[in-house]
Amino acid sequence: MLNVFLKNHNYKYEVGELLKLFTTQFKFVDDDLNKDKILINELIIEDNLIISNTYIYENNNLKIRLEEKDVMSSLDEKILKRESKIVIKRSIFKVLKKIYKSFVPWGILTGIRPTKIVHELLDENKNKEEIDNILKVKYLMDKSKIDLAYNIAKVEREFIYPLNENKIALYVSIPFCPTRCVYCSFPSNTLKQWGHLKSDYLNALIKEIKGVGALIKKLNKEIESVYIGGGTPTTLDEKELDILMDSLYQNFDLNNIKEFTVEAGRPDTITKEKLKVLKYAKVSRISINPQTMNESTLIEIGRSHKVEDIVKCFNMARNLGFDNINMDIILGLLKETPSMVENTLKEISKLSPESLTVHTMAIKRASKLKENIQEYEFSQYMDMVKMIDISMDYAQRMGLNPYYMYRQKHMLGNLENIGYSKRGFECIYNIQIMEEKQSIFALGAGAISKIVYLDENRIERVPNVKNLEHYIKRVDEMIQKKEEEVL
Ligand SMILES: C[S@@+](CC[C@H](N)C(=O)[O-])C[C@H]1O[C@@H](n2cnc3c(N)ncnc32)[C@H](O)[C@@H]1O
Ligand code: SF4
């Protein structure tokens, strides 16, 4: 166990997040007395310098000492705080690298949106060379991740700019699933347990659609993209899907939208009739998600469909004219090895989807996996790194380029999720949700609206209740909360 003592500052959250990239075996202590192994970090502000020293003592013997410093750019308290945290993290990072010898390619960046820093630097008109240097020297990022973040930020900017507060995105949540996959923490009420509430849920959702539809008309906002997710939206039967689509068209002006996504998701919920309803409603992008193309893993993760069902659904959608299909996969599913991931990608290549979203497995608090963690085996960290490399290689061979990205908490190394697409098939909604420059009005149980105030550089979240029964009873309140935020 590594004891950690912070001197002259109390940035426990930031230091804790950094430590978690290397180990979970640490605890913060309030003094440096009588500890077998201790990391001490101190902050000194002197003249115009920010200095951070890190020491490692083992049984009172000094093992490592490292000093990191930077010139402060301003006396403004907020800026000084931000710069101090960077110097502290860099000093601790360099010491941790010596102790653990781990491969931590994102350097001291611990947040879930690493492209944000690139956007900030681009906003300051820095060129590629300057950005590379800052990310390498100040944030200690590996070259491969610097290029990735830079390339993604450049693609994203084509969709984000020019900023326009009048444009919004619309999200609709269908929080039902056929069964619950072991890794998942998304709103997913199984049909077996909660299916009896499906029709009441749809009625409540339509009420919210009407309420928010009126609100958006009043605000005179223009909808740029629509995303129906969940859960699994295709747990609705074709009649219910038709009613939902009808209600959306009646209450929102969808004539000029650039993109309409439905996360069809699980092949065991997709039928020809449902796909026809989506096509008729001008849905332009759907997801058919394998997660893996290995039969044994599908069973282990609790998805009640076979590999051949994925292929069948994909071909059915193609034959019905869907020309923008996304597939989601997860790297590091239970006992999967790099060669199993390669098999998944080989099978997906044969289908040639327009986009592929590659997630790295995260062990989420609200998942079955976390509840029964001792029953499972997991891929090793370096295997995960290999799997990421394999997926990048296959994406390139399939003609897919990275266009959006976020990182996962709750796993060693905080690896990344990357969305790849053919040129012209980037998902605008995914980019907007990551970069937070556009408001999202989100409807349904567990959906979180994000209202962006560009002038004030401020974002307000308006969450709907997660629980189905509460949502059904309190839907008026969900509409009202949004009205209160924006009117
Ligand atoms: C909201 S889920 C819905 C997708 C749809 N219901 C399905 O299962 O096909 C979106 C995606 O998040 C990913 N995901 C869910 N839980 C995850 C986890 N614990 N770690 C990594 N990726 C995860 C999966 O790839 C999934 O397709
Ligand atoms: S991964 Fe999809 S189908 Fe599985 S539980 Fe999560 S939302 Fe439901």
Side-chain angles (χ1 to χ4, degrees):
M1 177 65 68
L2 179 66
N3 296 289
V4 181
F5 177 53
L6 304 180
K7 223 168 157 179
N8 301 337
H9 72 87
N10 199 17
Y11 297 127
K12 275 191 186 160
Y13 174 77
E14 289 77 7
V15 172
E17 289 300 300
L18 186 74
L19 281 156
K20 280 190 231 160
L21 298 180
F22 295 86
T23 177
T24 49
Q25 303 297 305
F26 68 90
K27 68 170 192 282
F28 288 103
V29 291
D30 296 328
D31 60 59
D32 54 356
L33 305 171
N34 306 323
K35 309 285 185 299
D36 298 345
K37 188 169 185 182
I38 189 162
L39 180 152
I40 302 172
N41 175 265
E42 71 176 339
L43 174 69
I44 302 162
I45 308 280
E46 214 172 61
D47 304 325
N48 64 341
L49 283 181
I50 304 168
I51 304 167
S52 176
N53 294 314
T54 301
Y55 310 86
I56 296 277
Y57 284 94
E58 271 179 37
N59 299 318
N60 291 326
N61 295 320
L62 179 65
K63 292 284 175 195
I64 303 173
R65 177 183 183 279
L66 195 135
E67 184 189 72
E68 194 64 30
K69 55 182 155 191
D70 216 339
V71 179
M72 58 172 88
S73 68
S74 148
L75 284 175
D76 178 283
E77 202 182 329
K78 228 168 132 190
I79 298 175
L80 185 58
K81 241 185 185 176
R82 184 179 167 175
E83 291 184 344
S84 300
K85 285 181 196 172
I86 292 174
V87 180
I88 290 168
K89 282 169 93 177
R90 217 163 49 220
S91 147
I92 298 178
F93 184 92
K94 288 185 178 173
V95 167
L96 293 175
K97 276 283 270 190
K98 285 191 186 181
I99 309 178
Y100 295 100
K101 302 192 169 44
S102 316
F103 176 60
V104 184
W106 286 101
I108 63 165
L109 289 186
T110 49
I112 62 169
R113 293 181 167 83
T115 40
K116 269 206 164 163
I117 182 75
V118 183
H119 282 294
E120 274 177 30
L121 296 170
L122 286 167
D123 288 344
E124 290 167 18
N125 290 322
K126 299 255 188 301
N127 64 32
K128 168 88 167 87
E129 207 178 312
E130 289 166 317
I131 293 176
D132 279 1
N133 195 43
I134 292 170
L135 296 181
K136 186 174 154 202
V137 176
K138 193 166 170 186
Y139 295 96
L140 307 178
M141 280 168 67
D142 193 70
K143 171 91 172 93
S144 60
K145 301 301 178 199
I146 293 175
D147 289 344
L148 180 68
Y150 181 83
N151 292 339
I152 288 179
K154 287 295 262 190
V155 176
E156 285 180 330
R157 288 171 92 81
E158 292 171 32
F159 295 91
I160 300 171
Y161 292 98
L163 299 180
N164 182 347
E165 210 156 77
N166 213 35
K167 290 193 178 169
I168 59 160
L170 186 67
Y171 177 82
V172 180
S173 168
I174 306 294
F176 294 97
C177 291
T179 56
R180 191 162 166 79
C181 310
V182 294
Y183 51 78
C184 188
S185 65
F186 283 94
S188 52
N189 303 281
T190 59
L191 285 181
K192 193 170 164 204
Q193 200 178 354
W194 300 103
H196 62 285
L197 289 180
K198 201 153 57 109
S199 105
D200 286 349
Y201 178 78
L202 187 58
N203 287 335
L205 182 61
I206 288 173
K207 202 166 184 195
E208 196 181 6
I209 290 174
K210 284 184 183 153
V212 176
L215 178 62
I216 286 172
K217 279 204 182 104
K218 203 184 261 178
L219 295 170
N220 211 9
K221 300 276 183 196
E222 192 185 315
I223 299 175
E224 187 180 49
S225 67
V226 182
Y227 194 106
I228 306 185
T232 307
T234 35
T235 46
L236 297 182
D237 62 31
E238 62 261 28
K239 252 200 201 126
E240 292 166 329
L241 271 179
D242 198 31
I243 292 170
L244 173 64
M245 295 298 164
D246 221 36
S247 161
L248 288 172
Y249 274 97
Q250 274 179 24
N251 292 286
F252 295 104
D253 179 0
L254 303 183
N255 287 320
N256 297 318
I257 55 172
K258 289 199 185 133
E259 172 186 282
F260 191 162
T261 298
V262 174
E263 202 165 20
R266 289 241 318 229
D268 46 343
T269 61
I270 299 173
T271 64
K272 195 171 190 176
E273 287 66 34
K274 292 184 197 180
L275 288 176
K276 277 185 179 166
V277 172
L278 301 185
K279 192 78 202 149
Y280 184 72
K282 301 201 182 95
V283 168
S284 59
R285 180 177 181 272
I286 58 169
S287 278
I288 296 174
N289 299 327
Q291 315 302 354
T292 171
M293 290 297 248
N294 297 304
E295 212 75 72
S296 58
T297 315
L298 281 176
I299 297 170
E300 283 217 46
I301 60 177
R303 282 173 85 91
S304 43
H305 60 79
K306 293 194 164 1
V307 170
E308 66 178 51
D309 298 326
I310 300 165
V311 177
K312 221 163 66 192
C313 281
F314 189 96
N315 290 331
M316 188 157 69
R318 273 281 192 258
N319 291 335
L320 286 171
F322 284 96
D323 56 5
N324 186 357
I325 306 180
N326 170 67
M327 297 186 112
D328 280 3
I329 62 167
I330 303 179
L331 307 179
L333 280 171
L334 305 178
K335 286 174 234 152
E336 288 218 340
T337 57
S339 67
M340 288 170 87
V341 166
E342 183 151 14
N343 177 57
T344 292
L345 287 155
K346 223 180 246 165
E347 293 305 312
I348 289 179
S349 309
K350 291 180 194 160
L351 300 172
S352 188
E354 282 62 42
S355 59
L356 173 73
T357 313
V358 181
H359 302 88
T360 44
M361 169 85 147
I363 299 161
K364 307 253 177 89
R365 229 179 311 138
S367 66
K368 272 196 201 170
L369 206 82
K370 179 79 182 177
E371 274 170 39
N372 307 306
I373 196 141
Q374 64 289 352
E375 289 172 23
Y376 297 102
E377 271 177 55
F378 298 99
S379 308
Q380 295 298 309
Y381 177 71
M382 281 321 283
D383 270 352
M384 295 287 294
V385 173
K386 260 189 225 155
M387 292 178 200
I388 291 184
D389 287 347
I390 293 172
S391 61
M392 283 181 166
D393 186 36
Y394 268 85
Q396 198 182 17
R397 286 198 234 167
M398 281 189 253
L400 306 173
N401 305 304
Y403 77 93
Y404 96 108
M405 166 177 67
Y406 63 101
R407 288 169 70 210
Q408 300 273 69
K409 297 244 164 187
H410 311 298
M411 71 170 303
L412 223 52
N414 276 16
L415 293 167
E416 65 271 11
N417 297 334
I418 304 179
Y420 296 91
S421 79
K422 293 185 181 164
R423 209 67 187 110
F425 291 92
E426 295 84 358
C427 174
I428 300 170
Y429 178 84
N430 283 340
I431 293 176
Q432 293 291 7
I433 196 169
M434 274 312 127
E435 297 308 326
E436 302 185 309
K437 299 282 191 212
Q438 184 177 82
S439 295
I440 299 176
F441 284 75
L443 284 57
I448 302 172
S449 298
K450 273 202 276 185
I451 311 299
V452 179
Y453 298 94
L454 288 173
D455 294 349
E456 301 162 54
N457 198 12
R458 176 167 71 93
I459 298 167
E460 295 298 334
R461 288 177 168 73
V462 189
N464 278 359
V465 285
K466 268 194 193 152
N467 178 286
L468 284 181
E469 284 161 327
H470 294 183
Y471 174 77
I472 292 166
K473 269 198 211 122
R474 293 167 52 192
V475 63
D476 288 329
E477 200 188 309
M478 305 302 116
I479 302 168
Q480 204 183 334
K481 277 208 293 186
K482 289 188 202 41
E483 288 172 347
E484 279 165 12
E485 177 57 46
V486 296
L487 285 180

